[in-house]
Amino acid sequence: MYNSQEQMILGGLVIVYFLFLFGVSLYINQRSIKTYDDYNVAGRSVSIFPLILTFVGTAVGGSTLLGYMENGYSFGMGQHWLNFGTLFAGIILMFFFVKKIRQYGEKYDMVTIADFTTLRFGEGARFPTVISILIAYSAITGMQFVAIATILNLTIGMSITTGIIISWVMLTLKTYFGGMKSVIWQDAFHGTIQTIGIFTLFVVVIIASGGWGNITENALAMNEGANLSIFSISSTQVFVYLLTIGAYQFVRQDLWQRFWAAKDIKTASRGYWISIILAFLTGFFVITIGVAGKYGLQMGEINPTLSYYEIIGNVFNFPMVVVMIIALLATVISTADSFFMAGASSIVNDIIKPRLKSQDDKKLLFYSRVSVMLVSIFSILLALYIPQLVNLWVTGTAMLVSSLLAPVIFGLFWKGTTKAGGTWAMWIGLIIAVVWQMAGHPFGIHPVFIGLPISTVLVIVISLLTKSNGVNVHHEEEAI
C-alpha cells in the first residue's frame, strides 16, 4: 500500500506521537495526580469543553472509524443502525438517567457502577458487576489494540500479532502514569483532531464521488441499489445492534464516571447532550464514506478491512494521508485509555479497596496503577482471541448488557427491586451469555437474545417473591 520511504515516515510518526502522549501523561502525573479521586474520576472538576470532547473521544473509537467504514463499504447504508442504536439510547439516557446517576455519585462519592449496585442490592452484587464490567471493557480495550495493530501493519509492515503486543505495551504505559486526568485532557486534543479529520474526509469523498446522484447511478449499474437503503439489513441484525451497542450505553462505566467527573450536574448534562449529536454525526459520516468509497470512487476489488486506508489514499496526496493517519491514531487512543480506566477502576475500587484496612491515598494510587496492568493483560488475551473489530465490540457489550442492564434500570426506577432479585439476575444473565458465546451461538441465536430476557424476567419475578425481605433495605437512597 505504501512504499518503503512512506512506511518509514509513517512508522516514525506513530512512534513520535506515542512518545509525545507518554510525555504528557508523565507531566500530568507529576503536576496534577495527588489523590485517588484525581486518578479515577479526574478530581470531579472537569469543565464543559474537555467534557464534551472526552465523551466524543470515548464514543468514537477504532471500531467506529475502521469497523463502521468497513461495514458501510461491504454492506451499505443499512449499517447506520449501528449508529441509530447509540443515538436512541443516548437520548433516553440523557432525559431519564443522567440526573439520577449524577445525584447518586455526588451523595455517595461513587467511582464505579458496582458502587451503585452494592448500595442498591448489597455486597453480594459487587462481584458479578465487576466481572461483567471487566469482560466488557477488556474486550473493548482489546479492540483498540487490534485497531492500532492494523495501523502498524499497514504503515511499517508489522504482523497483526506483533502489532497487538506493541500497542498493548504503549497504551498500558501511557494509561498507567496518566490516569483519568490525563485521559480527559488528551481526549480533548484527540476529539478535536478526529472530528475535524472525519468531517473533512466526508466532504472530500462526496465531492470526489460526483455527489450522491452519481453514487446512486453507479450502485444501480452494479445491481446493488438496495444497499443504499437504510433497510438493507436483516431485522435480527438490527436488534443485535440495538440490544448490544445501543443498550450498552446505559451501563457504560466510562460514561457514568464522566457524569461524576463533571464539575456539576449542568455541565454533565450539557456536555453529554452535545456529545450525543457530535458522535451521531461522526458515525453517519464514517458509514457514508464507506458507501461512497465503494459506489462513488469505484476503487474496484479491495479488502473491505482496508477501506479507510484505500479511501484516504484515493482522495488525498501523501502529506494529507499522514494527517489522516494521525486522526485515526487519535480516534483509537482516545477510546482505548478511557476503557482502560473504566476497567481498572472496577478492580481497585471494587475488589482491592474494600479489603484494605487503611484507605491511604498513596496506597490506593499504587493499586489503581496495578489495576491498569491487570486490565491490560485481560485485554490483550481477548484481542488475540477475537481480532475482529465489530465482533469484539458486540461480544463485550453483550456480556455487559445481559448481566447489568435489567438490574441497573430496575434498581434506579423501581423501589421494589430486592437484593435477591438484582443479584440473581446479574449472575444468571452473565453466565448464560458467556456460555452461549463460548458454545458458538447455538441455533444461530445471539447471546444477548438469551441473557437479557432471562435477566429481566428474573429481576422482576425474584423481587416480587422476596419483596417482604427486600423492600426499603436502603432507606437512605430514597432521597435520590
Side-chain angles (χ1 to χ4, degrees):
M1 181 173 290
Y2 302 112
N3 62 42
S4 57
Q5 183 178 5
E6 291 172 340
Q7 285 186 336
M8 186 177 298
I9 293 171
L10 288 169
L13 282 171
V14 170
I15 294 170
V16 170
Y17 192 62
F18 265 105
L19 289 175
F20 165 71
L21 295 177
F22 181 61
V24 171
S25 295
L26 287 176
Y27 175 79
I28 291 176
N29 175 59
Q30 292 294 322
R31 294 291 300 271
S32 302
I33 298 177
K34 307 298 181 185
T35 68
Y36 175 72
D37 271 1
D38 285 340
Y39 194 85
N40 289 283
V41 284
R44 305 182 191 272
S45 59
V46 181
S47 57
I48 187 71
F49 178 71
L51 190 69
I52 292 169
L53 290 173
T54 192
F55 274 133
V56 174
T58 304
V60 181
S63 62
T64 304
L65 191 47
L66 298 177
Y68 276 26
M69 196 172 294
E70 174 189 347
N71 281 19
Y73 192 95
S74 299
F75 308 116
M77 296 291 281
Q79 296 303 300
H80 279 298
W81 285 97
L82 278 162
N83 205 23
F84 291 149
T86 303
L87 176 66
F88 297 154
I91 292 172
I92 295 171
L93 188 61
M94 174 65 220
F95 284 107
F96 299 104
F97 287 76
V98 172
K99 185 177 179 180
K100 268 186 172 290
I101 292 170
R102 173 71 189 196
Q103 287 174 335
Y104 272 109
E106 283 184 346
K107 186 170 183 178
Y108 299 103
D109 291 325
M110 291 180 174
V111 174
T112 64
I113 290 179
D115 283 336
F116 167 75
T117 58
T118 302
L119 173 75
R120 193 65 181 81
F121 306 124
E123 279 296 328
R126 191 179 292 276
F127 195 48
T129 304
V130 172
I131 293 176
S132 302
I133 293 289
L134 287 178
I135 290 174
Y137 279 93
S138 294
I140 301 167
T141 302
M143 182 173 67
Q144 311 311 315
F145 297 159
V146 176
I148 293 175
T150 304
I151 299 171
L152 296 175
N153 175 260
L154 293 169
T155 53
I156 58 177
M158 186 178 292
S159 72
I160 294 295
T161 299
T162 304
I164 288 173
I165 294 171
I166 294 295
S167 63
W168 165 60
V169 171
M170 292 189 294
L171 284 172
T172 299
L173 288 174
K174 187 184 83 68
T175 309
Y176 177 90
F177 287 103
M180 184 64 81
K181 275 200 171 182
S182 174
V183 167
I184 286 178
W185 282 105
Q186 288 187 22
D187 279 356
F189 174 63
H190 289 145
T192 302
I193 293 175
Q194 74 182 39
T195 302
I196 294 173
I198 292 169
F199 176 74
T200 301
L201 180 61
F202 172 77
V203 172
V204 170
V205 168
I206 294 298
I207 293 173
S209 298
W212 196 253
N214 190 55
I215 293 170
T216 302
E217 288 180 9
N218 292 338
L220 290 172
M222 296 169 64
N223 293 318
E224 296 182 9
N227 282 353
L228 299 187
S229 168
I230 64 168
F231 299 107
S232 60
I233 185 174
S234 71
S235 57
T236 300
Q237 195 65 32
V238 169
F239 280 107
V240 168
Y241 290 156
L242 290 176
L243 294 177
T244 53
I245 295 170
Y248 135 84
Q249 304 302 312
F250 298 104
V251 284
R252 273 182 59 179
Q253 184 155 285
D254 56 291
L255 278 185
W256 286 47
Q257 288 180 316
R258 280 158 177 75
F259 296 147
W260 297 330
K263 64 180 183 180
D264 52 46
I265 182 61
K266 187 176 181 180
T267 300
S269 299
R270 286 186 176 180
Y272 185 57
W273 181 240
I274 295 170
S275 75
I276 291 170
I277 298 170
L278 288 176
F280 172 75
L281 290 175
T282 300
F284 174 83
F285 291 155
V286 170
I287 292 169
T288 306
I289 289 169
V291 175
K294 181 172 184 177
Y295 300 114
L297 300 180
Q298 292 187 294
M299 296 182 296
E301 294 295 325
I302 67 166
N303 182 350
T305 304
L306 306 179
S307 55
Y308 177 83
Y309 309 94
E310 295 283 1
I311 288 170
I312 62 174
N314 188 282
V315 299
F316 290 133
N317 57 24
F318 184 68
M320 276 302 298
V321 167
V322 171
V323 172
M324 295 308 299
I325 293 294
I326 296 298
L328 173 60
L329 273 175
T331 300
V332 176
I333 294 168
S334 65
T335 306
D337 50 17
S338 297
F339 292 146
F340 246 135
M341 285 306 304
S345 294
S346 282
I347 293 178
V348 66
N349 188 75
D350 303 319
I351 297 177
I352 298 175
K353 187 180 177 184
R355 290 163 175 78
L356 293 178
K357 294 181 180 179
S358 169
Q359 300 295 303
D360 177 67
D361 256 334
K362 288 186 178 180
K363 187 175 290 186
L364 287 171
L365 272 173
F366 169 75
Y367 284 120
S368 294
R369 293 190 167 101
V370 170
S371 299
V372 168
M373 299 296 294
L374 293 174
V375 170
S376 78
I377 293 171
F378 299 149
S379 301
I380 191 172
L381 292 176
L382 282 170
L384 294 170
Y385 174 63
I386 313 176
Q388 292 87 34
L389 292 172
V390 174
N391 286 343
L392 193 53
W393 189 10
V394 172
T395 298
T397 56
M399 305 301 108
L400 190 62
V401 168
S402 296
S403 177
L404 293 186
L405 182 63
V408 165
I409 290 178
F410 280 102
L412 281 169
F413 296 102
W414 183 32
K415 292 179 182 178
T417 312
T418 65
K419 283 184 176 182
T423 304
W424 277 106
M426 289 179 200
W427 275 118
I428 300 300
L430 175 62
I431 291 170
I432 288 175
V434 170
V435 170
W436 208 263
Q437 174 67 31
M438 294 179 68
H441 300 197
F443 312 109
I445 301 174
H446 195 276
V448 77
F449 291 143
I450 303 296
L452 178 58
I454 291 177
S455 177
T456 303
V457 170
L458 285 174
V459 75
I460 296 171
V461 172
I462 296 176
S463 292
L464 291 173
L465 293 174
T466 59
K467 62 182 179 180
S468 60
N469 298 321
V471 175
N472 297 328
V473 169
H474 298 287
H475 297 283
E476 69 273 15
E477 52 107 6
E478 292 183 2
I480 296 296

